[in-house]
Structure formats: C-alpha cells, structure tokens
Amino acid sequence: MDDLERAILVMFDESGALDDDLKKQAKVYCNDIKEKPLICRLCIEKLCFSNLVQVQFWCLQTLHEVIRTRYLTMTPDERHMIRGSVFSIVCLEDKNLTRVLEGPAFIKNKLAQVLITLIYFEYPLVWSSVFVDFFPHLSKGNVVIDMFCRVLNALDDELISLDYPRTPEELAVAGRVKDAMRQQCVPQIVRAWYDIVSMYRNSDHELCTSVLDSMRRYISWIDIGLIVNDAFIPLLFDLILVGPLSDQLRGASVRCLLAVVSKRMEPESKLSLLQSLQISRVLRLVTEDVDVELVSDIAALLSGYAVEALDCFKRINSEDAKGISMELLSEVLPSIFYVMKNFELLHLGQILEVILVLIRYDPVHRTNLDVMDKIGKEEEDRMVEFRKDLFVLLRNVGRVAPDVTQLFIRNSLASAVSRSSDSNVEEVEGALSLLYALGESISEEAIRTGSGLLSELVLMLLSTKFPCHSNRLVALVYLETVTRYIKFIQDNTQYIPMVLAAFLDERGIHHSNINVSRRASYLFMRVVKFLKMKLVPFIETILQSLQDTVAQFTIMNYTTEELSGSEDGSHIFEAIGLLIGTEDVLPEKQSDYLSSLLSPLCQQVEALLINAKLLNAEETNAKIAVIQQIIMAINSLSKGFSERLVTASRPAIGIMFKQTLDVLLQVLVIFPKVEPLRNKPKQMVGFLLLLNQLICKFNTLVRDILEEIFPSIAERIFSVIPRNGLPSSGSDAITEEIRELQELQRTLYTFLHVITTHDLSPVFLSPKCKAYLDPVMQLLLYSSCNHNDILVRKACVQIFIRLIKDWCAQPYEEKVPGFRSFVIEAFATNCCLYSVLDRSFEFHDANTFVLFGEIVLAQKVMYEKFGDDFLVNFVSKGFSSAHCPPDQAEQYRQKLQGGDFKALKSFYQSLVENLRVQQNGSLVFR
C-alpha cells in the first residue's frame, strides 16, 4: 500500500477513531495528487491493480471530475488512453479487470458515469462506435450485460431524461446523441434486449428485470415499431402471464407495457396501438393472489391505458373511433375500481400499521412518563411533536377509507384488551390515541349517529377497564377520547351510566394520580355542560360519588405548585353548579342540594376566622390559602346558576348566595391589614371575579356590602399597583410578579366597569368610599389615555360615559362637586383629543377603531350634559393647542350639534388625521 492509498483510506475513514486534523491532511494530499499531469494514468493503474473499494471509488471519482473539467485541454494521446482503458474495464476485455465489475453497485455506477462523460464529449464525432463496440462483449455473460444496462441507465440519468433540469448545451448534446443512436444502433440495442431476456428469463430473473427497466426508459423516444411487433409484445405478455416467474420480472414487463401505452403519438395511431395490445389479457391478475407491488404496477398500467383511451375519445372526430375508445375504456374500468376498492385499502391498512407502531412510546420511559419527571416530560413533549404529522396522515386515511380505519382501530383496541397484564401500556395508549385523533376527521353528525363502526367503538371504549388504567398516559387519553365522542351519547342515553362511571370511578376523578383526577374534573365539567338536561335524573348519584372529592378540595395542601393553573380542581364545583342550577330541578331539591354544598363551606370559613387576628404570619398564610380554595369553589359553583334564576324565578337561591357572600366578605373585615393577603394578587383576582359575578347576579342588592368592602379593596390594590401604570407586556423587564399585577389591574378595571354598569356608581360617593374617588378617577383617566391594552382603554371610556350619565343627569347639575370640571378639562381634552392625535392610535386596528367610537360617543354625551361649557373648552383650548383651522373647528361644532352620530364619527376621524399631518408629531398626555 503506497502513500496515496493510505491517504484515501484515512480520508474515507468513518470509524471515528482517526483525528480530524489527520483526515484533513489526507484530503489535502489527495487533492494535490489530482493536480498532477499524469493523474488519469495513475487512476487507471490503481483501478487495474487495487482491491480496495475506497481506492477504486476515489480513482473513478477523480477520472469523472478530470474528464468533465479538463477534457478540452487534454492531448489526443491522453484521451485515447482514457477511452481505451475505461472501455476495456467496462467490457471486461482483460480478465484481470474483473475486480471492478465484481465490486459493489456504487463502484459500477460510478464507472458507468465516467463512460457517459466520455460519450458526452466524443459521441458520435470522435468515438462513433462506442455502442456498436459493446455488442460483441455481451456474450461474456451477466457481468457485462449488467454493465451495459448501467451504462444505458446512466446515459438516461446524466444526459437524456427530462426529469432533471438541463442547460441549453446539455439539451443540444442529448439531441445529438439520440439522433446518432437512432440512425446507428437503436435497432441493435433493442435486438440485444430481446435476446438477453429470451435467453435468461428462466435462469436470471434479476438480470432480465434490469434489462427491461433500462428498456422502459428508452421507449418514449425510439421507434415504437421496434417494440410493438409480433416478437416483443408477445414476449412481454408471456413474461407477465405465463410461467413461475418472479413478481419483480413480471412487474418490469408491466412497466414496459405502460411506457408503450403512454408513448406520444397521433390519436388514430394510439387507438390502433391500444386495440392491438389486447389489454384484457392482464385483467384477471387483479383478482388473483399476487404480490401487492405487482398489483400496484398493473393498476398503474390499467389507469394509464384508461387515460389514453379517454384522450383518444376527446381528440378523435370519427364516431366509430369514439365508440372504440369508449369500449376500451369500459373494458378496463371495472378492474381499476376493483383494485381501488381492495388493494389500495390493503396499502392503507399497512400505513395504519406503521402509524400505530411509530406513535407508541418506548417502554424504557414508562416510569418516567408516569411520574412525569424531567425525562418523562421531555419524552412526552418530543412525542407530541413527533405525532403531529402521523395523526394528519391518519386523518387523511380515515377520510379516504373510514371503514378500514375504524376496523383497524377496533381490532387494535381488541388486541390490547385481550391481554391480561399491565405490560401493554404502550399498545393500549397507542390504540386509544388513534381513536382520539381520528375524531378530528369525523363530522359531528357521524359521531352523533355512530355511523360505521363508531357506535361499536364507543361502546367498547365505555365498557372496557384496561388492566393498565392506573397508568397516567392511558388514563388521560382514555378520558379525552370519551369526551371527544360524547355527542354519541346525546341520542343514546342508555349509555349515560357507563359515561358517569368512567368519570366518577378510579378511571377518572377517583384516579390515584392527581394529574388525572384534575383533568377528569375538567373533562367531566365539559360533559355535564353538553349533556346537562339528560343528567338531571342522575344528580343524586353524581353528588354522592363526589362527596369525598368536594370535601377534599378545601383541605390545606390539596393544590400544589405543579398543578397550579386552569386545572386546579375547581371544575368539579362548576360541573355540580351546572347540574343543580337548571330549572329542570325541583325548587325544593335545588335548595337542598345548594345548601348541602354552601353550608359546610361557610361554616369552614367562619371556623377559620375565629381568633384570626391572633395568628402569626405562617398560620395566617395557611388559613388564607384554605379560604382562597373555598372562594374558588363557590365562584365555580355559582357559574351554573343564571341571573334570571337567582333574581326572578327562584329568589330563594339568590338569597342563599347573598348570605354566603356576607360570610366571605368577613375575610376582608377580619384581615384588613394582613400583609400576606395584600401581597397575593392571584387571591385578590379570584375574589374580584367572585364579586363581579355576584354583582352581575344581584345588581343593587349588594350595594350595602360593596360600600363596606370597597375601601379595603381599593386600599389593597392601590398599595401594590403603581398609579402611573405597569410595564407593557412586550417589555424585557416583565417578571412573574409583574404579570400577576397586570392580571390584577385588568380585573380591577372589569370590577369598576361592572360597578358602574349595574347602577352601583353611588358606592363611590358613600362616606366610607369617597376618599378613594379621586385616586380611582385619576387611574381611569390615565388608563383611558395611555394603557397599552386597547380593551382596557375602551372599558375606562365606557366607565366615564356611564358616570357622566349618572352624576350629571340634569344640565348644570353638580351632584359630585368637581366632577364636571374634571371631565371637561381633563378627560375630554386628554382622552378624547390628545390620545387620538398620537400616531400610536392606529385607526386600521379593529379594536382601536371600536375604542374611537366610544371616544366620539363620550363627546356626544358630554355635549348633551354640559352643553356649550364642554364645546367651548374643547374647541378653544383643545383644538387651539392642536392648531386646528377655524373652519374645521366650526364643522366639528356643526356635526356635534347635529343628530347624525356616524357623520360625527367620520368627520372627527378625518379631522384627527389632518391634524396629525399638520403637527407632524404627537401631543403628549397632560
């Protein structure tokens, strides 16, 4: 082994044992060798004598590169040497050269590529006999014949085929080569194909297959008469229909026929060709027990035949010819449909098998996934992403072949159920995941009626208790799947007990894994919301099953940091509220149900408040946490009771909720200065949400309570929220604490909005609350002008509109001293003019445009209540500072005094846009 061979071995080494620097040095050394004048001769010598595959490949690769880039600069002698040497290797002129032709396929393909590069430059002008010279050597047997096929394939790939992009020069060379071959050697090549296949058909199926696959490539541009004749066509049909030949050889013969059928020609000639083939001879194969791939080839042939027959029908004018075209088409269509119905579905079944295998978790991660440690979380995230494309494929298969897909899933579930141990976790989870994912491609009507096998699948799902149901993943996907197909139960109420059992027993809410239990509570709430009326007869059964869950919810440490968020367990109370909050429940029963839930919760709060002021910080925190849980429970429970029910149809229920609120509000009386409570925005958010719901239900009935607690609420919120706003959501400085404060701030605006829109604005003026009126007004003013959330700004403007209507009912009335001047001088100018002049106020944004409508409405209301006092100040001070032309100010006055709100809004927008252009900047809030 010389230095070059050693360098080549180092360069191609993939063991990972060699140093990268050494490999780089070897590459540099080999590249230097390539630049030597006698490199081609060196490569030929190595090919003749080296048994190393790496060396052979490098030499062939180098020859290909050198010929392609340096051919025009080579001497005639060098070209002659390369031509003779390469051809002698290809045709095995020297038996000592068999080492290359007996090597791996990639070596022989590279050798063929080198020869084609020579043909590119030399055929037919320099080396006109290249193909003719090949024929005598074919008698040497399959090694040379195989090489002959590879050369023809490489010629098609590298030069002739239009499946690859070609340069104009390459297209010209391809045309030159094809013209020369047609004139010189194509008939001999076709004869060689025929002779080889005839000779080797019973002894070397692989070789015959290679020959036919090469021939298929050339049928499109050679004389079709060389193939469509009394010799070749019968041979092809004979290979397809007669004798125990391999399916690969039969398939290659079918593909050649398809190339014949697809050859471009005039419609009359094509019709004659189609008739002559007597394609009906292969139709019986589609119903026989043959290889799926062969059926696929036959299906492609029949489809191609049908397309060509239809094309003849379209292009031919003769009615007789049209009739023949339709006869040919009708002849093959039944077989095409048969293949589509049977064998394509077999393909789909195989696809489903692959999907099921791929979506299964690796059992090695079973424990990690069940306890959800770091490895388990990463694996679940990875699998969720990995499954996305597979589930898209599943749904596509489900749309094409719903019966096959549903049958496959049924059999997969049945197979998983048949096992008696919990060792098939991954199999069960995979089958259930398929059923869940399939639901996205099924219409609501199909689910409701249980079309196909769906009714059987849903019944199997509900009636099955898998041995591995204790596994977290299995339990979760089971519950999600039941929920997805719950519409089937709507018209099949006999299965309701089975649905309830699935959610209420150890498969759902009573599952040992709290993650599963919490998710089950949420999903059960969705099921209750959907089946609501149909579940009324089962209320007592449901409540009895949930007694322990309800009691456990308010136990300290029930919620954990890992489970915080939307699935906090409170959904079980929402589900109960939806169940017992309907008017289909008798009033007496409804009162009893609600009392049995509210009374223990209120008693628990009262017990927690005893001696609360004497507790240390740690004890206080513990009690506040439990109280927060209770507030969440009552809040969720109340969602099931409509405002009409608690205030009109069944006021006794409303009184029960009001009494509960009286108890809860004692929290703010007992803990007026408790620091831990003050510093927990999440708890205050929950409390405000509960207040909002109660105000919406009871309106002015809660006025006295609201007057009592508003000072505490205002003091606590203003102590943690800056009055000049919080950092915007897009700021890099946003922390978890800031996000919680932002949520609290948004909830506060909603709280103030709910107060004003439910006739409770007098609360702000009560003796206990009056001290907080100015801070609230300043916060609303600042936010109406500057808050980054447009919806918050809209709410603030709406609050001002309502307060103006409430507190300034009569013109020039001063119900709230100073409020009138505050609105005219501060709100009108800053919010209704300066804030909209700022270029950040984007009219093209939908929410912003809605806000603009509220701002224009505020101007209309102010004019109605304040008359010229508003108009004079707004125009003389506001418009003047914005440099508004007098004529436009006068037009604004006219539009405002007119009754057309749309005209006022349109004009004001145009005015603002004009003022922006004039000032070429923006005014700031003052």
Side-chain angles (χ1 to χ4, degrees):
M1 187 186 301
D2 60 19
D3 289 343
L4 176 59
E5 292 174 334
R6 279 191 287 269
I8 293 172
L9 292 179
V10 169
M11 186 171 61
F12 284 119
D13 180 78
E14 295 181 353
S15 67
L18 298 181
D19 183 70
D20 286 342
D21 291 337
L22 180 61
K23 296 183 72 172
K24 289 178 183 177
Q25 292 175 20
K27 186 176 181 180
V28 171
Y29 179 80
C30 292
N31 288 340
D32 290 343
I33 295 291
K34 284 183 183 180
E35 301 302 319
K36 293 186 178 298
L38 299 178
I39 181 60
C40 291
R41 186 176 298 278
L42 176 62
C43 288
I44 297 295
E45 291 175 358
K46 293 291 182 186
L47 284 172
C48 293
F49 299 106
S50 177
N51 291 318
L52 298 170
V53 172
Q54 297 94 326
V55 174
Q56 292 174 6
F57 182 79
W58 185 85
C59 291
L60 290 169
Q61 187 181 51
T62 301
L63 276 175
H64 175 252
E65 181 181 331
V66 170
I67 296 170
R68 187 169 51 84
T69 59
R70 304 186 210 168
Y71 178 84
L72 298 177
T73 63
M74 290 179 179
T75 65
D77 289 343
E78 188 175 9
R79 295 175 186 172
H80 183 269
M81 184 274 298
I82 296 171
R83 182 189 314 130
S85 301
V86 171
F87 193 74
S88 66
I89 296 173
V90 169
C91 292
L92 203 60
E93 290 184 337
D94 184 346
K95 290 187 178 180
N96 293 323
L97 301 178
T98 57
R99 59 173 54 85
V100 175
L101 298 192
E102 291 176 350
F106 69 88
I107 292 292
K108 290 181 280 190
N109 289 338
K110 199 67 182 178
L111 176 60
Q113 191 181 36
V114 172
L115 182 60
I116 297 307
T117 309
L118 288 169
I119 290 173
Y120 181 94
F121 288 108
E122 298 190 340
Y123 181 79
L125 299 179
V126 177
W127 191 8
S128 61
S129 62
V130 56
F131 295 106
V132 176
D133 292 344
F134 229 121
F135 299 136
H137 297 284
L138 295 177
S139 61
K140 294 177 181 178
N142 56 8
V143 173
V144 177
I145 294 171
D146 175 72
M147 200 63 223
F148 180 58
C149 293
R150 293 181 190 276
V151 169
L152 292 177
N153 291 347
L155 179 63
D156 184 60
D157 288 337
E158 299 291 323
L159 190 57
I160 295 176
S161 175
L162 296 178
D163 291 340
Y164 310 97
R166 307 292 187 193
T167 65
E169 179 188 351
E170 289 171 337
L171 291 173
V173 173
R176 183 189 74 208
V177 169
K178 288 194 293 185
D179 289 343
M181 290 180 70
R182 288 190 189 102
Q183 294 175 13
Q184 182 197 46
C185 60
V186 165
Q188 293 97 310
I189 292 175
V190 174
R191 183 67 195 187
W193 287 334
Y194 180 84
D195 291 341
I196 293 167
V197 173
S198 298
M199 182 182 299
Y200 288 93
R201 58 180 292 182
N202 295 318
S203 60
D204 195 334
H205 293 175
E206 185 177 352
L207 182 66
C208 293
T209 300
S210 299
V211 171
L212 291 177
D213 279 338
S214 291
M215 184 178 89
R216 173 185 53 81
R217 295 168 175 251
Y218 286 78
I219 290 174
S220 64
W221 60 270
I222 66 175
D223 180 6
I224 193 62
L226 296 171
I227 306 296
V228 181
N229 51 49
D230 293 339
F232 229 129
I233 292 298
L235 173 62
L236 291 175
F237 274 102
D238 200 34
L239 293 172
I240 296 170
L241 300 171
V242 181
L245 302 179
S246 71
D247 288 327
Q248 287 74 22
L249 178 53
R250 299 170 78 185
S253 304
V254 172
R255 292 191 291 273
C256 285
L257 281 179
L258 176 58
V260 169
V261 166
S262 304
K263 186 172 176 66
R264 296 178 62 181
M265 58 182 70
E266 291 300 315
E268 293 81 7
S269 300
K270 174 60 70 72
L271 189 59
S272 297
L273 169 62
L274 296 179
Q275 279 183 286
S276 70
L277 291 178
Q278 301 176 42
I279 203 72
S280 60
R281 289 178 282 178
V282 303
L283 298 182
R284 64 177 174 81
L285 292 179
V286 300
T287 61
E288 294 182 357
D289 185 16
V290 295
D291 182 74
V292 174
E293 292 301 325
L294 177 57
V295 173
S296 180
D297 286 328
I298 295 173
L301 170 61
L302 297 180
S303 298
Y305 185 95
V307 168
E308 296 298 329
L310 184 60
D311 186 62
C312 289
F313 177 84
K314 292 178 180 177
R315 296 168 60 199
I316 243 167
N317 294 322
S318 165
E319 290 301 321
D320 289 342
K322 284 181 177 290
I324 294 171
S325 298
M326 292 310 297
E327 287 178 8
L328 297 177
L329 185 62
S330 301
E331 188 177 28
V332 297
L333 280 179
S335 295
I336 294 174
F337 292 145
Y338 180 87
V339 172
M340 290 175 63
K341 180 180 178 182
N342 295 280
F343 289 91
E344 290 304 313
L345 296 183
L346 178 59
H347 276 298
L348 295 178
Q350 292 172 336
I351 291 172
L352 293 171
E353 287 280 3
V354 171
I355 293 174
L356 179 57
V357 170
L358 290 177
I359 67 169
R360 286 178 184 163
Y361 282 95
D362 189 333
V364 73
H365 297 304
R366 184 182 299 173
T367 302
N368 304 105
L369 287 161
D370 201 35
V371 301
M372 277 300 281
D373 58 15
K374 184 175 182 293
I375 295 174
K377 184 68 169 68
E378 291 174 354
E379 177 63 10
E380 186 169 12
D381 291 343
R382 184 196 68 80
M383 187 59 90
V384 167
E385 190 64 31
F386 175 73
R387 284 177 165 183
K388 286 180 180 177
D389 290 339
L390 292 171
F391 284 153
V392 170
L393 179 58
L394 168 73
R395 289 189 284 271
N396 289 337
V397 173
R399 292 185 183 99
V400 173
D403 293 341
V404 172
T405 307
Q406 292 171 25
L407 178 62
F408 176 83
I409 294 175
R410 186 196 69 178
N411 292 341
S412 299
L413 275 174
S415 173
V417 172
S418 65
R419 301 175 186 265
S420 58
S421 69
D422 61 356
S423 62
N424 60 334
V425 168
E426 291 73 29
E427 183 181 351
V428 171
E429 196 276 339
L432 288 171
S433 295
L434 285 185
L435 180 56
Y436 175 79
L438 180 68
E440 288 190 19
S441 64
I442 302 175
S443 68
E444 290 188 6
E445 179 64 17
I447 293 177
R448 190 180 64 78
T449 58
S451 65
L453 293 175
L454 285 180
S455 59
E456 182 180 345
L457 278 167
V458 174
L459 183 57
M460 178 187 292
L461 186 70
L462 293 173
S463 61
T464 301
K465 289 189 176 182
F466 299 102
C468 55
H469 225 122
S470 59
N471 179 271
R472 183 185 68 87
L473 285 178
V474 171
L476 286 174
V477 71
Y478 175 82
L479 294 169
E480 296 283 358
T481 307
V482 171
T483 306
R484 171 150 284 180
Y485 290 92
I486 201 64
K487 290 181 178 63
F488 173 74
I489 308 301
Q490 193 172 26
D491 292 339
N492 296 275
T493 54
Q494 68 270 27
Y495 299 126
I496 285 180
M498 299 173 74
V499 172
L500 294 178
F503 280 99
L504 298 177
D505 65 20
E506 68 280 359
R507 288 174 290 175
I509 292 171
H510 288 93
H511 197 281
S512 57
N513 187 306
I514 193 170
N515 292 277
V516 176
S517 176
R518 292 291 177 83
R519 185 64 179 170
S521 297
Y522 167 72
L523 294 174
F524 182 63
M525 180 271 295
R526 286 175 50 190
V527 168
V528 169
K529 191 174 290 188
F530 182 76
L531 296 176
K532 204 170 180 180
M533 304 304 178
K534 300 183 185 298
L535 295 179
V536 171
F538 302 92
I539 287 179
E540 298 208 5
T541 301
I542 295 171
L543 292 179
Q544 187 174 1
S545 297
L546 293 176
Q547 276 184 343
D548 56 342
T549 306
V550 168
Q552 187 183 25
F553 180 78
T554 55
I555 295 175
M556 185 56 196
N557 294 328
Y558 180 58
T559 56
T560 65
E561 184 177 347
E562 292 79 8
L563 296 170
S564 62
S566 60
E567 292 182 13
D568 50 26
S570 62
H571 290 107
I572 202 64
F573 286 90
E574 185 173 351
I576 293 173
L578 290 167
L579 277 172
I580 68 175
T582 173
E583 292 191 20
D584 290 318
V585 178
L586 294 174
E588 298 79 8
K589 284 284 188 183
Q590 193 171 57
S591 296
D592 290 344
Y593 293 148
L594 186 59
S595 176
S596 67
L597 290 160
L598 292 180
S599 295
L601 293 174
C602 290
Q603 291 169 8
Q604 195 173 358
V605 171
E606 291 170 341
L608 289 166
L609 293 179
I610 296 174
N611 298 323
K613 295 183 178 181
L614 304 178
L615 302 176
N616 57 36
E618 184 177 348
E619 293 170 329
T620 300
N621 282 334
K623 290 200 172 188
I624 289 174
V626 176
I627 291 172
Q628 177 64 16
Q629 288 287 94
I630 295 172
I631 292 174
M632 288 168 56
I634 296 173
N635 182 25
S636 298
L637 186 66
S638 69
K639 292 178 182 178
F641 293 80
S642 68
E643 180 178 347
R644 190 185 67 81
L645 184 141
V646 298
T647 57
S649 63
R650 298 183 183 179
I653 298 296
I655 293 172
M656 293 176 69
F657 273 112
K658 187 175 182 299
Q659 291 171 343
T660 301
L661 179 63
D662 291 341
V663 174
L664 294 181
L665 295 180
Q666 291 302 309
V667 175
L668 292 175
V669 176
I670 301 297
F671 296 112
K673 301 291 184 180
V674 174
E675 196 64 25
L677 184 60
R678 291 168 57 111
N679 293 332
K680 290 198 177 288
K682 282 187 177 180
Q683 294 182 5
M684 182 57 75
V685 166
F687 188 76
L688 288 180
L689 289 174
L690 176 61
L691 281 177
N692 290 342
Q693 288 187 330
L694 291 167
I695 291 172
C696 290
K697 289 187 192 311
F698 301 113
N699 295 306
T700 55
L701 294 177
V702 299
R703 175 174 171 176
D704 293 343
I705 301 171
L706 199 56
E707 288 181 1
E708 185 70 28
I709 65 171
F710 184 81
S712 298
I713 293 173
E715 182 180 345
R716 290 171 189 178
I717 291 179
F718 283 126
S719 69
V720 295
I721 295 181
R723 301 191 187 188
N724 59 347
L726 294 163
S728 65
S729 298
S731 171
D732 294 336
I734 295 297
T735 62
E736 184 62 32
E737 180 183 1
I738 294 296
R739 274 189 283 270
E740 290 183 4
L741 289 174
Q742 288 174 337
E743 183 183 7
L744 176 59
Q745 188 186 54
R746 284 191 295 269
T747 310
L748 170 63
Y749 292 124
T750 304
F751 177 56
L752 296 175
H753 190 272
V754 169
I755 289 176
T756 54
T757 55
H758 286 77
D759 300 318
L760 288 168
S761 60
V763 169
F764 297 128
L765 307 179
S766 67
K768 292 182 179 180
C769 305
K770 205 167 185 178
Y772 298 95
L773 180 61
D774 183 62
V776 168
M777 292 300 105
Q778 294 297 335
L779 177 65
L780 291 172
L781 174 61
Y782 182 86
S783 299
S784 68
C785 300
N786 300 283
H787 203 284
N788 63 302
D789 188 335
I790 294 297
L791 297 179
V792 168
R793 290 172 69 172
K794 183 184 76 170
C796 293
V797 173
Q798 290 173 335
I799 291 172
F800 273 115
I801 291 173
R802 185 58 187 259
L803 292 179
I804 292 169
K805 291 179 178 180
D806 285 353
W807 294 347
C808 307
Q810 301 297 325
Y812 307 105
E813 179 186 17
E814 190 74 351
K815 188 175 182 179
V816 182
F819 178 71
R820 177 191 180 93
S821 59
F822 172 78
V823 170
I824 292 175
E825 296 173 9
F827 171 71
T829 307
N830 288 296
C831 177
C832 299
L833 180 59
Y834 294 161
S835 75
V836 298
L837 283 174
D838 194 287
R839 294 184 184 276
S840 64
F841 195 95
E842 181 53 67
F843 285 106
H844 296 296
D845 175 71
N847 287 331
T848 304
F849 193 69
V850 172
L851 166 62
F852 181 71
E854 295 294 335
I855 287 174
V856 175
L857 177 61
Q859 297 171 47
K860 186 173 179 297
V861 171
M862 285 187 287
Y863 179 71
E864 291 172 353
K865 300 300 181 183
F866 307 142
D868 288 341
D869 286 355
F870 158 71
L871 190 56
V872 170
N873 186 83
F874 195 61
V875 172
S876 63
K877 294 185 179 179
F879 279 15
S880 297
S881 63
H883 308 293
C884 177
D887 62 323
Q888 292 189 11
E890 179 57 31
Q891 289 183 56
Y892 169 78
R893 184 194 304 271
Q894 294 173 5
K895 297 289 185 185
L896 182 64
Q897 292 173 338
D900 192 338
F901 178 77
K902 287 185 178 179
L904 171 62
K905 182 179 177 182
S906 177
F907 173 78
Y908 195 57
Q909 180 180 348
S910 300
L911 175 62
V912 168
E913 290 172 340
N914 290 336
L915 291 177
R916 284 182 180 177
V917 174
Q918 292 177 21
Q919 70 187 33
N920 192 27
S922 61
L923 297 171
V924 296
F925 170 59
R926 305 178 180 186

